């Protein structure tokens, strides 16, 4: 005889995929990592599950777990919504955060991403610059996935002085001696500091900074290309930001 149990989980809804009728498959990130469940009638306007399963909701879920391990939503209660409707940049940044999470962060690393994702969403909700927050999260995700870049010294020779640029292809900082004009960008001191901060900051530090678009857009472009070369993942949401 099949048995089932009931489980409580808290998570941020990263993705909702519509299924037949008004059902949905919902993927969340919680403190123990990713989890997915089937939600019957979740897209019905009168459904109590509607708000808790919307992308961008932080919710408490009561789930029925079948003997085979698959989960179905029994009850959901939204604690906070990070869905942004009134700002293009904030809504693009939130989509970007979810795409970066799902496409770059592997299941085994996902528990470590929960607190950073929540801190980033809270910062955006409080009105911190959305693209700066997205940039810090992209660097965090690359580092967590094993693609962290060297911002302590020249990635090519180890020199701590004479740093003139940052090149993902070279592995991070590059000094004057190793600089190759043909293949590397020349960066100003602010951009160098921005990368150093981004690859080292903790959850509590993210709200301290804001970068201008003149520094962020080239950085997005260069890191997206790097992520694609390393993982084959094309970050569509950031591509859209760059084209806008
Ligand atoms: Zn060097």
């Amino acid at each position: 005889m099949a048995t089932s149990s009931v489980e409580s989980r808290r998570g941020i809804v990263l993705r909702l995929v519509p299924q037949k009728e008004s059902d949905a498959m919902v993927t969340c990130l919680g403190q123990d990592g990713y989890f997915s469940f089937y939600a019957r009638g979740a897209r019905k306007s009168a459904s109590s599950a509607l708000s808790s399963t919307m992308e961008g909701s932080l919710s408490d879920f009561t789930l029925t777990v079948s003997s085979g391990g698959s989960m179905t939503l029994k009850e959901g209660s939204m604690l906070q919504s990070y869905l942004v409707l009134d700002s293009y940049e904030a809504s693009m940044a939130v989509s970007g955060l979810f795409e970066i999470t799902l496409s770059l962060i592997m299941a085994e690393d996902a528990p470590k991403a929960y607190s950073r994702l929540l801190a980033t969403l809270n910062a955006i909700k409080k009105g911190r610059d959305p693209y700066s927050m997205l940039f810090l999260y992209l660097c965090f995700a690359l580092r967590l996935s094993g693609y962290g870049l060297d911002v302590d010294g020249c990635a090519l020779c180890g020199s701590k002085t004479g740093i003139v640029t940052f090149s993902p292809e070279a592995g991070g900082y590059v000094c004057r001696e190793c600089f190759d004009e043909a293949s590397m960008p020349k960066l100003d001191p602010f951009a160098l500091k921005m990368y150093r901060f981004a690859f080292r900051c903790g959850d509590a530090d993210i709200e301290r900074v804001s970068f201008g678009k003149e520094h962020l857009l080239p950085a997005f472009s260069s890191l997206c290309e790097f992520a694609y070369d390393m993982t084959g993942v094309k970050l569509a949401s950031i591509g859209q930001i760059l084209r806008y």
Side-chain angles (χ1 to χ4, degrees):
M1 203 182 90
T3 53
S4 63
S5 59
V6 172
E7 223 179 276
S8 297
R9 298 250 194 142
R10 175 171 294 181
I12 303 159
V13 179
L14 303 177
R15 183 168 61 199
L16 178 145
V17 180
Q19 305 287 313
K20 64 176 169 55
E21 289 159 29
S22 53
D23 297 354
M25 193 70 206
V26 179
T27 302
C28 303
L29 177 64
Q31 61 177 3
D32 298 323
Y34 296 123
F35 61 97
S36 296
F37 56 83
Y38 195 82
R40 284 201 182 85
R43 293 179 299 123
K44 260 194 208 129
S45 56
S47 150
S48 63
L50 183 74
S51 61
S52 69
T53 58
M54 257 191 233
E55 281 175 2
S57 293
L58 170 69
S59 305
D60 278 334
F61 301 107
T62 307
L63 303 163
T64 306
V65 188
S66 75
S67 53
S70 64
M71 302 200 282
T72 314
L73 180 66
K74 196 165 179 257
E75 220 182 302
S77 147
M78 188 188 79
L79 306 168
Q80 179 75 264
S81 172
Y82 293 103
L83 194 72
V84 192
L85 300 168
D86 55 352
S87 153
Y88 174 82
E89 291 193 1
S91 92
M92 284 307 294
V94 170
S95 312
L97 294 176
F98 294 168
E99 187 189 17
I100 289 167
T101 306
L102 287 165
S103 55
L104 289 183
I105 300 176
M106 299 287 130
E108 65 265 31
D109 298 321
K112 291 187 204 131
Y114 177 68
S115 67
R116 175 59 74 96
L117 180 60
L118 209 50
T120 305
L121 288 167
N122 277 317
I124 293 173
K125 198 174 174 79
K126 274 194 251 174
R128 297 290 185 270
D129 177 54
Y131 290 175
S132 298
M133 297 303 109
L134 180 64
F135 171 68
L136 295 181
Y137 190 78
L138 175 59
C139 294
F140 164 81
L142 287 170
R143 198 176 57 182
L144 187 61
S145 314
Y147 303 110
L149 294 158
D150 197 342
V151 286
D152 288 319
C154 176
L156 298 173
C157 75
S159 168
K160 302 274 180 208
T161 57
I163 301 300
V164 292
T165 197
F166 176 88
S167 160
E169 290 69 31
Y173 272 176
V174 176
C175 77
R176 192 174 292 115
E177 303 304 317
C178 301
F179 179 67
D180 171 33
E181 207 170 350
S183 67
M184 297 173 187
K186 193 123 201 224
L187 295 180
D188 62 52
F190 185 90
L192 291 176
K193 278 195 203 132
M194 175 181 84
Y195 279 112
R196 183 172 163 86
F197 183 88
F199 278 100
R200 291 164 58 106
C201 72
D203 295 3
D205 300 324
I206 60 173
E207 293 193 18
R208 289 171 37 209
V209 291
S210 171
F211 310 114
K213 290 214 175 51
E214 71 280 19
H215 288 109
L216 285 171
L217 297 181
F220 275 137
S221 166
S222 144
L223 289 178
C224 273
E225 205 172 301
F226 174 67
Y228 178 69
D229 289 346
M230 291 292 130
T231 66
V233 168
K234 261 206 165 91
L235 295 166
S237 51
I238 293 181
Q240 208 173 323
I241 288 173
L242 291 170
R243 280 193 304 275
Y244 186 69

